[in-house]
C-alpha cells in the first residue's frame, strides 16, 4: 500500500503502517508521536483533495 | 429563480409523521414558502422528487389528494439508502420537494363511472390520491360507486388503516374489501392474495374503471383476472414505478421503449401498456 | 494452419458434445481487429478465425455463465491462460467447466503501431508468417512487416508464450524470448515525488469512469463490485481528480496479487491511461518482497497476498 | 445565410482575434489524444483531425456538473445556493458535421418540456464554429443518416478549407453576431468556392462506406425481440465506453457530495445504460436485468427511440463507439444484422 502510494506521488512518510500489539502501549505512543511529527513536517496533503464547495 | 430551474427543489418542513406499518411511514410536508402551493398544483397520481440534502433524491408518489390544501403527504417504504434516512426524520426537519412530475390518473374520463381500486402493499399510496379526490365532497357527485380492494402480507403491513377501516367505509356508496396473504390470529377478515379475492368478488365490468397498483407480480395476475372478467383494455388503468432521477425526461433511465415513465407515465391504461415493450 | 486446427478441434468437440459452446475469435470490423465469437453449433464454426491481431483476452466471458452446469471451450494465448488459473483459484469458475484450447503465441501485433505504417481498413483475407516476417493479405492490399517492430509492448516481455494450462495445445511450445525487466515501472519509480505526482495526476484527470478496465479484467470477478455500491458510497460518481485517483488506487489494490498482467485494462482504456502500470508496479514489488511469480503463471502458487509464510518480510513491524 | 471567405494567410489572425475576446475551445493534441480543450496558443489547434477522442457534448452537458451548493444544518436549517452564472460566453471551434448534428439531437432533450437551465445557458452562450471534413476515417458513416461531411447544420458559423481560402457560411443570427464582433471575413461572391465545396463533399462522401438504413426503423418498430440482441450482448463487457464517447448519449445521474459538516453540493454526472445498476431500483427489481436488455436498449435508442421521441436521429455516424469498443461491437454490423432479419 505504502509503495503504491509513493508510486503515484505521495511523499514517503505520508503513510505509515505499524504492527502494534494491544499490550505495547509505549509503542503506540511513540508511533503516534513519530507519525504526527513526520506528517506535520510534510505540510498539508495536496493529493486527492476534494476541493469542491 | 426557483421556477426557472426544474432541478432545484423547494424547501419543505415535515409537519407530521404517521407510522403506517413496520416499514412504511407517511410524512406530511408543508412548503416553507407557501406561495409554492399556488404553482405546484399536483393532480392525482403524480409523483415528486424528495431530497434529503447531502444524501440525495428519490421519486415518491404523492399520496394526498389535491383537494386537501396546504400540505402534501408521501408514504415511504424503507427500501434503500435515502428512504432509510428519511425514516429517521421527525417533524420540524426539512427536506426538498420538486415536481409534480408525470401524467395523472384520467379522472376526467372516469366521470360518471363506477370505480374499482385494486391495491397491494405500498401500491395503495398513489391510489389514495385519487380515492380521496373522488370522495371529496366537491367531486363525489361526479362519480358512481367506489369500491376499494386492498391487500397486504399481514395485518401489520396494511397501510392507511384509518382510511381503510374508518374514513372510507363511512363515505356514501363506498365499499372497502381488505385481505391479507396468510391467516393470522385475531384477524377475522378475508385471507388470500388480491387477484384471488378479485375473482371471488367478480365485479361486473359494466360502466366501471379499475385502477390498480402494487408489486409487479400482483399487477400481472390482476390484469389477467380483469381480462378474464371481461374488462376492456381501456377500462384498466395502472401506475408504474421505475427508477427515476431527473423526473423531467432527460436522465434517460426510466424509459420503456420510446416513452419516459416520468413524463409520459406513470399512469397507463392497459391498452397503452400493451403497446410498450415488456421492460418494467 | 492454426485457423484450420482451431476449426477442426472445435468441430470435433461440438460434434462429440464435449463442450456446450466455444469462445473464440471472429473477424472484426477491419484487418487489425478481431471480435469475440460464441460458437454453439458445427454450422457456426466457420466464423472462427485466427489473426495476428487476436489480442482480446476471452477468459472473462465465462463469468456470464456462473452457476450453470456447462462446459465452455475457450481459446487462450499464453497470457490469457493465466486468467483461467486465476478464475479457477478464485473459485469463480471451476476448472472442470473449462475446456481450454491453448494457442502457443509468437506475439500479437499492435494494431495502433501497424496502422501507422500500413492501411488496415480492409478485411483480413489471410496472413502468413515466415521466420521474422508477417505478410498480411487484406482486401486493401498485401503488407509485409517485420514482426519484431510491431508487437504489443506486453509481448516483448512475455513470460508464458505457451499457455500454462490447457486441455489441448494447438501447436509446438514457444519459449519465452525475453524476460520481464519492468522497465516501464522503473522509469516511473525513478522520477522525483513531484514528477510522479504530476504524471499520475495527468493520467487520472483523463479518466472518464467508464469502468472498461474493471469489466475486462479477469481478476475483477466480485459478485458485487465496490464501485457499484450506493451504500456505503466508497467512491463518488463524480469524475474529478480526487475521485478518479481513489477509483484507480482501489481498483489496483483489489486486484493486487491476483492480476495476471494480461494488459487488457490498458488496452481497452479509451483515454490511454496506462492502467496496467499500477498493477505491474505491485507485481514487481511482490516479486521482490515475496519471491513469487506473476499470478496465474504457476497453478501451485496461491494468491500472493492471501498466503502467509513465516519468512515474509516485515517492513511494518 | 451570408457567405464569404477568409484567406488562409489571415486565418490564424482571425482565430487569434476570437481568442482575445472569448475563451476558445478547439481540438488540440493532449497526451496523444485529440480533444476539445481550451486553447493556449492558436498554433496548438489541430485543423486536419479525423475525429476527437471525446465528443463536444461536454461543453453543454459536462461529465460532472455542480447544480447547487448545499448548506444543511442537521436537516433543520437548509440553504441552497444556485449558481448565478453557469458559464461565460465562449467559442467552440472546429466541430465536424456529425458532431454538429449531435448537438441538434441533444437540444430537444434538454431544451423542450422542462428546459434544463444548465444546458440552456451553456448552449446560449456558446458560439459554434463548424469545420468541414477534408477526409474520412474507416469508421465514419455519417452519410447513413443523411449527413454530409461538410454540412453546416448545427453551426453558427461554418468553415470549409478550400485551397488558399476558407469558405465561410454564416448560418445563424448568433453567427452574424460573432462575425460582426470578429472582423476578418470577406463577404464577396463565393459561387466558385461553393462549387469547390460541392466537389469536396463528393470526394469525402466517396471515402465513406455507405450504410443503407432503409427498412431498419420498420424492423425495429415491429420487433422488440430479435435473436441478434442476444448474439451481440454476449460480446459486450458492460462497460460505459460506447455511451461516454457517444455525442448524443445524454443519460445522467444525480448525487449529493457531502463534505461531512453539512456543506456539500448536488451534482449530476454522466451515467450509462450499459451499467447493471442503471435501472436497478432500491427494492432490487431491475427492468433490464441482463446485458441483452441493456444492449438492445442502447441500439434501439440510437436507431428508433430517439427518432420516435424527437424526430431527429439518435446516432450521427461519428464512429467513436466503433473505434473504442474493446470487443468491437460495431453498430454498422448490427444495422446489417437488423436488415438481414437475424
Amino acid at each position: 500500500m505504502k509503495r503504491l502510494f509513493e508510486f503515484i506521488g505521495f511523499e514517503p512518510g505520508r503513510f505509515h503502517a505499524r504492527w502494534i500489539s494491544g499490550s505495547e502501549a509505549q509503542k503506540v505512543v511513540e508511533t503516534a508521536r513519530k507519525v504526527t511529527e513526520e506528517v506535520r513536517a510534510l505540510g498539508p496533503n495536496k493529493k486527492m483533495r476534494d476541493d469542491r464547495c | 429563480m426557483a421556477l426557472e430551474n426544474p432541478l432545484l427543489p423547494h424547501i419543505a418542513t415535515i409537519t407530521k409523521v404517521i407510522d403506517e406499518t413496520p416499514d412504511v411511514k407517511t410524512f406530511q410536508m408543508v412548503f416553507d414558502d407557501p406561495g409554492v402551493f399556488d404553482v405546484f398544483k399536483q393532480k392525482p397520481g403524480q409523483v415528486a422528487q424528495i431530497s434529503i440534502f447531502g444524501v440525495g433524491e428519490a421519486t415518491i408518489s404523492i399520496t394526498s389528494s389535491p383537494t386537501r390544501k396546504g400540505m402534501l403527504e408521501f408514504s415511504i417504504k424503507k427500501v434503500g439508502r435515502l428512504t432509510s434516512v428519511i425514516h429517521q426524520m421527525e417533524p420540524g426537519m426539512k427536506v426538498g420537494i420538486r415536481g409534480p412530475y408525470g401524467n395523472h390518473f384520467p379522472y376526467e374520463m372516469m366521470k360518471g363511472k363506477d370505480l374499482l381500486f385494486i391495491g397491494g402493499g405500498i401500491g395503495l399510496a398513489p391510489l389514495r390520491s385519487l380515492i380521496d379526490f373522488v370522495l371529496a365532497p366537491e367531486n363525489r357527485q361526479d362519480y358512481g360507486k367506489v369500491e376499494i380492494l386492498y391487500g397486504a402480507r399481514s395485518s401489520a403491513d396494511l397501510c392507511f388503516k384509518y382510511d381503510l377501516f374508518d374514513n372510507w367505509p363511512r363515505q356514501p356508496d363506498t365499499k372497502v374489501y381488505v385481505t391479507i396473504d396468510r391467516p393470522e390470529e385475531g384477524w377475522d377478515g378475508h385471507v388470500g392474495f388480491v387477484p384471488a379475492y378479485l375473482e371471488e368478488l367478480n365485479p361486473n365490468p359494466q360502466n366501471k374503471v379499475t385502477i390498480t397498483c402494487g408489486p409487479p407480480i400482483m399487477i400481472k395476475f390482476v390484469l389477467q383476472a380483469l381480462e378474464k372478467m371481461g374488462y376492456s383494455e381501456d377500462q384498466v388503468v395502472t401506475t408504474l414505478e421505475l427508477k427515476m432521477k431527473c423526473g423531467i425526461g432527460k436522465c434517460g433511465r426510466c424509459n420503456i421503449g420510446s416513452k419516459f415513465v416520468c413524463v409520459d407515465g406513470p399512469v397507463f391504461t392497459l391498452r397503452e401498456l400493451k403497446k410498450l415493450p415488456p421492460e418494467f | 494452419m492454426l485457423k484450420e486446427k482451431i476449426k477442426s478441434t472445435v468441430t470435433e468437440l461440438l460434434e462429440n458434445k464435449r463442450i456446450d459452446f466455444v469462445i473464440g475469435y471472429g473477424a472484426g470490423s477491419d484487418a487489425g481487429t478481431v471480435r469475440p465469437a460464441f460458437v454453439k453449433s458445427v454450422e457456426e464454426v466457420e466464423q472462427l478465425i485466427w489473426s495476428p491481431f487476436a489480442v482480446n483476452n476471452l477468459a472473462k466471458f465465462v463469468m456470464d455463465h456462473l452457476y450453470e452446469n456447462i462446459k465452455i471451450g475457450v481459446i487462450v494465448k499464453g497470457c490469457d491462460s493465466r486468467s483461467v488459473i486465476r478464475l479457477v483459484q478464485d473459485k469463480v469458475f471451476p476448472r472442470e467447466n473449462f475446456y481450454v484450447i491453448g494457442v502457443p503465441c509468437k506475439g500479437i501485433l499492435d494494431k495502433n503501431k501497424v496502422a501507422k505504417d500500413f492501411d488496415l481498413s480492409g478485411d483480413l483475407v489471410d496472413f502468413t508468417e515466415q521466420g521474422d516476417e508477417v505478410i498480411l493479405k487484406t482486401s486493401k492490399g498485401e503488407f509485409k512487416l517485420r514482426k519484431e517492430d510491431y508487437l504489443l509492448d506486453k509481448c516483448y516481455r512475455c513470460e508464458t508464450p505457451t499457455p500454462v494450462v490447457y486441455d489441448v495445445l494447438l501447436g509446438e511450445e514457444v519459449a519465452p524470448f525475453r524476460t520481464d525487466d519492468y522497465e516501464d515501472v522503473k522509469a516511473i519509480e525513478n522520477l522525483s515525488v513531484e514528477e510522479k505526482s504530476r504524471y499520475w495526476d495527468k493520467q487520472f484527470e483523463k479518466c472518464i469512469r467508464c469502468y472498461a478496465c474493471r469489466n475486462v479484467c479477469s481478476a475483477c470477478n466480485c459478485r458485487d463490485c465496490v464501485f457499484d455500491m450506493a451504500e456505503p458510497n466508497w467512491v463518488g460518481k463524480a469524475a474529478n481528480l480526487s475521485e478518479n485517483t481513489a477509483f484507480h488506487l482501489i481498483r489496483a489494490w483489489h486486484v493486487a496479487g491476483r492480476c495476471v498482467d494480461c494488459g487488457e485494462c490498458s488496452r481497452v482504456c479509451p483515454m490511454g491511461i496506462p492502467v496496467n502500470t499500477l498493477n505491474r508496479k505491485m507485481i514487481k514489488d511482490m516479486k521482490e518482497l515475496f519471491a513469487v511469480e506473476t499470478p496465474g503463471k504457476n497453478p501451485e502458487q496461491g494468491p500472493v497476498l492471501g498466503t502467509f509464510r513465516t519468512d515474509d518480510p516485515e517492513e511494518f513491524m | 445565410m451570408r457567405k464569404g471567405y477568409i484567406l488562409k494567410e489571415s486565418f490564424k489572425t482571425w482565430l487569434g482575434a476570437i481568442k482575445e475576446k472569448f475563451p476558445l475551445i478547439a481540438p488540440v493534441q493532449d497526451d496523444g489524444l485529440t480533444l476539445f480543450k481550451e486553447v493556449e496558443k492558436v498554433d496548438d489547434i489541430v485543423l486536419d483531425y479525423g475525429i476527437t477522442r471525446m465528443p463536444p457534448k461536454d461543453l453543454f452537458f459536462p461529465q460532472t456538473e455542480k447544480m447547487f451548493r448545499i448548506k444543511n444544518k442537521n436537516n433543520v436549517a437548509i440553504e441552497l445556493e444556485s449558481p448565478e452564472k453557469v458559464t461565460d460566453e465562449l467559442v467552440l471551434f472546429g466541430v465536424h458535421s456529425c458532431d454538429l448534428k449531435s448537438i441538434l439531437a441533444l437540444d430537444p432533450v434538454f431544451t423542450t418540456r422542462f428546459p434544463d437551465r444548465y444546458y440552456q445557458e451553456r448552449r446560449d452562450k456558446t458560439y459554434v464554429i463548424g469545420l468541414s471534413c477534408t477526409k474520412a476515417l474507416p469508421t465514419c458513416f455519417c452519410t447513413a443518416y443523411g449527413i454530409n461531411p461538410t454540412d453546416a447544420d448545427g453551426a453558427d458559423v461554418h468553415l470549409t478549407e478550400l485551397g488558399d481560402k476558407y469558405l465561410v457560411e454564416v448560418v445563424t443570427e448568433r453567427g452574424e453576431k460573432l462575425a460582426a464582433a470578429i472582423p476578418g471575413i470577406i463577404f464577396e461572391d463565393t459561387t466558385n468556392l461553393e462549387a469547390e465545396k460541392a466537389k469536396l463533399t463528393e470526394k469525402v462522401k466517396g471515402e465513406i462506406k455507405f450504410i443503407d438504413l432503409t427498412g431498419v426503423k420498420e424492423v425495429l418498430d415491429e420487433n422488440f425481440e430479435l435473436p441478434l440482441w442476444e448474439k451481440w450482448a454476449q460480446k459486450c463487457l458492460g462497460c460505459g465506453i460506447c455511451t461516454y464517447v457517444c455525442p448524443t448519449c445524454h443519460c445522467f445521474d444525480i448525487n449529493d457530495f457531502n463534505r461531512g459538516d453539512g456543506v456539500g453540493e448536488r451534482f449530476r454526472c454522466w451515467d450509462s445504460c450499459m451499467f447493471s445498476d442503471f435501472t436497478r431500483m432500491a427494492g432490487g427489481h431491475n427492468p433490464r436485468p441482463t446485458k441483452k436488455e441493456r444492449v438492445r436498449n442502447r441500439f434501439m435508442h440510437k436507431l428508433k427511440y430517439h427518432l420516435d421521441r424527437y424526430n431527429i436521429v439518435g446516432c450521427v455516424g461519428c464512429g467513436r463507439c466503433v473505434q473504442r469498443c474493446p470487443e468491437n461491437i460495431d453498430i454498422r454490423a448490427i444495422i446489417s444484422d437488423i436488415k438481414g432479419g437475424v
Side-chain angles (χ1 to χ4, degrees):
Chain A
M1 220 160 151
K2 183 171 159 62
R3 284 169 186 237
L4 194 70
F5 268 137
E6 287 169 19
F7 189 64
I8 69 152
F10 276 96
E11 303 94 337
R14 177 80 61 190
F15 180 83
H16 295 247
R18 284 288 171 279
W19 185 271
I20 307 175
S21 151
S23 60
E24 296 175 298
Q26 194 53 34
K27 194 170 168 190
V28 174
V29 175
E30 276 168 25
T31 309
R33 185 173 296 138
K34 187 163 163 285
V35 171
T36 317
E37 272 169 24
E38 283 189 31
V39 173
R40 190 167 287 148
L42 289 168
N45 178 38
K46 290 194 187 66
K47 269 193 91 71
M48 286 186 78
R49 269 179 92 105
D50 204 323
D51 283 330
R52 282 180 284 173
C53 303
Chain B
M1 175 55 87
L3 288 181
E4 288 168 29
N5 186 351
L7 293 170
L8 187 69
H10 306 285
I11 311 267
T13 304
I14 298 175
T15 48
K16 193 174 171 189
V17 181
I18 304 159
D19 286 313
E20 301 284 356
T21 78
D23 58 1
V24 177
K25 288 185 183 186
T26 298
F27 296 84
Q28 223 172 67
M29 301 178 189
V30 173
F31 290 115
D32 285 11
D33 172 2
V36 176
F37 280 112
D38 301 335
V39 288
F40 200 81
K41 288 193 179 131
Q42 88 276 12
K43 297 195 169 107
Q46 286 195 298
V47 302
Q49 289 284 345
I50 304 288
S51 282
I52 297 178
F53 295 103
V55 181
E57 279 186 317
T59 316
I60 311 284
S61 56
I62 305 170
T63 190
S64 54
S65 159
T67 50
R68 296 175 68 190
K69 308 282 181 208
M71 62 88 163
L72 294 171
E73 278 183 345
F74 298 90
S75 291
I76 302 175
K77 183 170 175 167
K78 192 165 139 186
V79 281
R81 190 164 63 113
L82 187 119
T83 50
S84 301
V85 178
I86 201 163
H87 263 241
Q88 319 248 329
M89 295 182 93
E90 292 163 8
M93 289 187 167
K94 295 197 189 289
V95 296
I97 301 175
R98 59 183 178 89
Y101 297 130
N103 63 357
H104 52 83
F105 289 118
Y107 53 86
E108 289 290 336
M109 170 276 259
M110 294 172 182
K111 279 189 179 165
K113 301 215 165 90
D114 292 342
L115 303 179
L116 168 62
F117 294 89
I118 308 168
I122 186 71
L124 188 56
L127 301 185
R128 183 171 173 259
S129 67
L130 181 61
I131 295 173
D132 281 346
F133 177 83
V134 167
L135 295 180
E138 63 265 42
N139 297 328
R140 189 64 191 95
Q141 71 280 2
D142 293 340
Y143 301 91
K145 194 165 74 171
V146 171
E147 288 169 291
I148 299 156
L149 165 56
Y150 176 60
R153 267 172 306 179
S154 69
S155 62
D157 289 306
L158 293 168
C159 297
F160 313 114
K161 294 187 193 71
Y162 41 91
D163 286 331
L164 289 171
F165 300 120
D166 191 10
N167 293 340
W168 292 339
R170 282 197 280 118
Q171 302 297 322
D173 214 7
T174 303
K175 268 199 106 83
V176 181
Y177 305 93
V178 180
T179 181
I180 59 173
D181 289 357
R182 266 173 287 277
E184 64 181 48
E185 218 165 299
W187 176 261
D188 53 6
H190 189 275
V191 174
F193 295 114
V194 169
Y197 196 16
L198 175 65
E199 291 198 42
E200 243 174 74
L201 295 167
N202 196 17
N204 189 336
Q206 190 69 36
N207 193 38
K208 191 169 284 176
V209 178
T210 72
I211 309 100
T212 174
C213 182
I217 186 77
M218 184 206 92
I219 296 211
K220 190 181 151 193
F221 287 111
V222 163
L223 297 181
Q224 283 177 7
L226 289 172
E227 282 199 291
K228 216 159 54 182
M229 290 176 213
Y231 284 81
S232 77
E233 291 175 357
D234 295 313
Q235 278 177 292
V236 181
V237 175
T238 182
T239 175
L240 296 178
E241 191 194 5
L242 283 191
K243 187 170 174 181
M244 301 177 198
K245 282 283 179 176
C246 72
I248 54 176
K250 308 195 185 324
C251 84
R253 58 175 49 56
C254 71
N255 76 302
I256 306 176
S258 309
K259 302 275 182 213
F260 283 128
V261 172
C262 66
V263 288
D264 305 316
V267 177
F268 295 97
T269 64
L270 183 56
R271 181 180 303 283
E272 291 163 333
L273 211 57
K274 281 196 166 170
K275 281 191 210 136
L276 296 177
E279 273 189 354
F280 45 81
Chain C
M1 244 189 71
L2 196 46
K3 179 174 160 182
E4 298 311 321
K5 261 192 219 162
I6 290 172
K7 283 188 190 171
S8 61
T9 308
V10 173
T11 305
E12 200 208 303
L13 288 166
L14 286 169
E15 271 175 350
N16 298 331
K17 304 219 174 342
R18 290 178 60 198
I19 56 171
D20 292 278
F21 67 92
V22 71
I23 311 170
Y25 298 99
S29 297
D30 60 42
T33 310
V34 293
R35 182 182 296 149
F38 293 72
V39 171
K40 291 185 169 65
S41 66
V42 175
E43 296 78 60
E44 293 171 336
V45 169
E46 262 317 295
Q47 296 173 15
L48 291 172
I49 62 153
W50 177 253
S51 155
F53 295 99
V55 54
N56 313 38
N57 180 349
L58 304 175
K60 173 91 189 247
F61 285 107
V62 300
M63 280 195 60
D64 289 333
H65 302 278
L66 304 181
Y67 322 116
E68 289 174 29
N69 184 16
I70 202 169
K71 188 137 183 143
I72 304 177
V74 187
I75 294 177
V76 297
K77 310 180 293 291
C79 45
D80 313 333
S81 72
R82 299 196 294 265
S83 288
V84 171
I85 294 191
R86 175 75 273 127
L87 290 162
V88 172
Q89 282 185 343
D90 281 346
K91 299 196 165 38
V92 168
F93 200 75
R95 178 66 183 89
E96 58 272 19
N97 288 18
F98 269 115
Y99 189 94
V100 183
I101 304 167
V103 173
C105 174
K106 291 185 192 131
I108 297 294
L109 296 177
D110 186 329
K111 179 192 172 181
N112 298 322
K113 290 181 191 168
V114 178
K116 280 200 178 101
D117 297 331
F118 304 96
D119 179 8
L120 291 178
S121 65
D123 297 327
L124 185 66
V125 179
D126 199 4
F127 72 98
T128 46
E129 291 189 64
Q130 291 168 340
D132 190 25
E133 280 180 340
V134 189
I135 299 161
L136 301 171
K137 288 181 191 139
T138 84
S139 55
K140 292 271 177 85
E142 215 174 286
F143 313 112
K144 189 151 119 184
L145 48 100
R146 217 169 73 94
K147 213 168 171 177
E148 183 76 13
D149 299 335
Y150 294 99
L151 289 180
L152 293 165
D153 289 346
K154 70 170 181 177
C155 298
Y156 292 111
R157 53 183 190 235
C158 180
E159 299 174 309
T160 61
T162 307
V164 291
V165 58
Y166 52 80
D167 294 301
V168 57
L169 187 67
L170 307 182
E172 298 288 313
E173 292 199 4
V174 179
F177 54 99
R178 268 182 216 169
T179 52
D180 197 340
D181 48 22
Y182 293 91
E183 280 304 329
D184 51 337
V185 178
K186 286 179 196 160
I188 296 173
E189 285 174 340
N190 291 334
L191 301 174
S192 70
V193 174
E194 292 74 29
E195 286 168 331
K196 280 179 201 164
S197 182
R198 217 174 310 131
Y199 175 79
W200 286 109
D201 281 358
K202 175 81 202 158
Q203 298 304 329
F204 296 151
E205 230 159 34
K206 292 191 291 186
C207 178
I208 56 169
R209 301 286 285 280
C210 66
Y211 299 134
C213 50
R214 170 194 68 176
N215 287 21
V216 78
C217 175
S218 56
C220 282
N221 52 36
C222 295
R223 218 178 308 170
D224 293 307
C225 175
V226 61
F227 301 120
D228 291 338
M229 282 181 187
E231 179 72 3
N233 195 213
W234 295 109
V235 181
K237 249 180 153 172
N240 62 27
L241 179 57
S242 162
E243 304 276 28
N244 293 354
T245 306
F247 164 69
H248 283 280
L249 283 176
I250 294 173
R251 191 205 60 80
W253 280 318
H254 278 200
V255 300
R258 304 190 300 117
C259 160
V260 300
D261 197 9
C262 71
E264 284 285 86
C265 47
S266 289
R267 172 182 74 90
V268 300
C269 179
M271 303 309 281
I273 303 169
V275 187
N276 192 32
T277 308
L278 295 174
N279 305 328
R280 284 176 51 72
K281 160 69 178 163
M282 294 217 265
I283 295 174
K284 173 175 174 283
D285 284 349
M286 279 182 280
K287 285 184 172 178
E288 286 166 8
L289 286 167
F290 309 114
V292 290
E293 292 179 279
T294 304
K297 185 179 169 190
N298 177 357
E300 308 301 316
Q301 173 189 299
V304 184
L305 298 182
T307 312
F308 174 73
R309 292 189 313 224
T310 48
D311 58 348
D312 280 344
E314 295 170 335
E315 288 183 333
F316 50 85
M317 293 301 273
Chain D
M1 187 200 295
R2 278 211 296 165
K3 289 180 183 174
Y5 62 87
I6 301 177
L7 287 170
K8 248 190 191 167
E9 54 199 54
S10 50
F11 183 59
K12 292 254 164 92
T13 319
W14 187 71
L15 285 175
I18 293 177
K19 200 175 120 38
E20 285 289 300
K21 240 183 148 121
F22 304 99
L24 176 61
I25 316 292
V28 294
Q29 278 293 323
D30 184 33
D31 205 17
L33 313 176
T34 310
L35 293 169
F36 286 105
K37 285 227 155 176
E38 181 158 1
V39 172
E40 279 171 35
K41 300 194 299 289
V42 168
D43 282 330
D44 291 344
I45 299 176
V46 191
L47 291 166
D48 64 342
Y49 74 98
I51 191 99
T52 53
R53 185 63 60 103
M54 297 298 285
K57 71 176 173 186
D58 199 39
L59 268 302
F60 312 107
F61 169 46
Q63 171 151 21
T64 307
E65 177 167 46
K66 173 180 165 177
M67 291 159 63
F68 49 84
R69 189 166 189 264
I70 299 167
K71 270 199 242 166
N72 179 352
K73 218 168 151 196
N74 304 320
N75 289 322
V76 179
I78 312 266
E79 271 177 67
L80 305 181
E81 283 170 40
S82 207
E84 285 286 308
K85 186 169 75 173
V86 177
T87 180
D88 290 315
E89 284 202 308
L90 56 90
V91 172
L92 170 62
F93 168 83
V95 185
H96 284 336
S97 304
C98 54
D99 285 343
L100 289 173
K101 190 79 172 183
S102 77
I103 302 171
L104 297 180
L106 285 178
D107 281 346
V109 178
F110 285 103
T111 62
T112 61
R113 208 167 171 185
F114 301 106
D116 183 275
R117 187 198 154 201
Y118 309 95
Y119 180 93
Q120 186 76 59
E121 186 177 333
R122 288 177 192 278
R123 190 78 174 86
D124 289 346
K125 288 189 176 172
T126 304
Y127 296 92
V128 180
I129 304 181
L131 183 64
S132 290
C133 295
T134 53
K135 63 182 181 201
L137 297 175
T139 45
C140 290
F141 65 112
C142 61
T143 50
Y145 302 99
I147 303 167
N148 283 329
T150 58
D151 278 355
D153 204 13
D156 294 311
V157 174
H158 190 75
L159 306 179
T160 307
E161 184 188 351
L162 297 163
D164 59 351
K165 298 187 184 77
Y166 280 93
L167 169 68
V168 181
E169 297 164 82
V170 180
V171 188
T172 63
E173 286 293 312
R174 298 180 48 70
E176 286 291 350
K177 249 177 84 183
L178 183 70
I182 315 291
I185 305 169
I186 302 161
F187 289 101
E188 275 177 15
D189 178 44
T190 54
T191 317
N192 285 342
L193 281 175
E194 283 169 58
E196 274 183 60
K197 180 182 167 179
K199 267 190 250 164
L200 174 72
T201 307
E202 288 313 308
K203 187 214 105 168
V204 184
K205 272 173 89 172
E207 294 169 17
I208 298 172
K209 195 175 159 209
F210 180 67
I211 307 288
D212 185 2
L213 282 167
T214 314
V216 168
K217 173 80 164 51
E218 288 73 12
V219 173
L220 298 180
D221 284 343
E222 294 303 314
N223 301 279
F224 188 64
E225 292 292 343
L226 287 170
L228 70 99
W229 300 124
E230 179 69 46
K231 174 186 136 186
W232 285 97
Q234 281 180 332
K235 307 172 201 289
C236 175
L237 290 173
C239 74
I241 292 181
C242 52
T243 55
Y244 286 1
V245 302
C246 178
T248 67
C249 272
H250 58 76
C251 289
F252 61 84
D253 195 2
I254 297 175
N255 277 302
D256 283 8
F257 167 71
N258 190 342
R259 213 165 65 179
D261 57 356
V263 178
E265 67 181 42
R266 179 156 297 167
F267 64 94
R268 68 166 162 206
C269 57
W270 295 354
D271 205 346
S272 171
C273 61
M274 294 288 105
F275 292 158
S276 57
D277 60 346
F278 184 67
T279 51
R280 188 165 56 220
M281 293 197 275
H285 177 64
N286 193 347
R288 291 198 280 270
T290 73
K291 287 195 291 187
K292 180 189 137 188
E293 292 88 22
R294 301 194 278 269
V295 165
R296 172 171 57 198
N297 183 66
R298 174 170 153 77
F299 291 102
M300 290 285 264
H301 186 245
K302 296 294 136 190
L303 300 169
K304 169 176 158 58
Y305 300 159
H306 203 81
L307 268 166
D308 280 347
R309 210 174 167 80
Y310 304 110
N311 198 25
I312 186 168
V313 288
C315 170
V316 293
C318 72
R320 286 185 180 92
C321 58
V322 182
Q323 284 182 335
R324 292 297 139 217
C325 176
E327 306 297 349
N328 191 226
I329 295 175
D330 186 333
I331 185 169
R332 298 170 301 175
I334 291 178
I335 290 169
S336 128
D337 275 1
I338 294 169
K339 289 176 60 158
V342 182

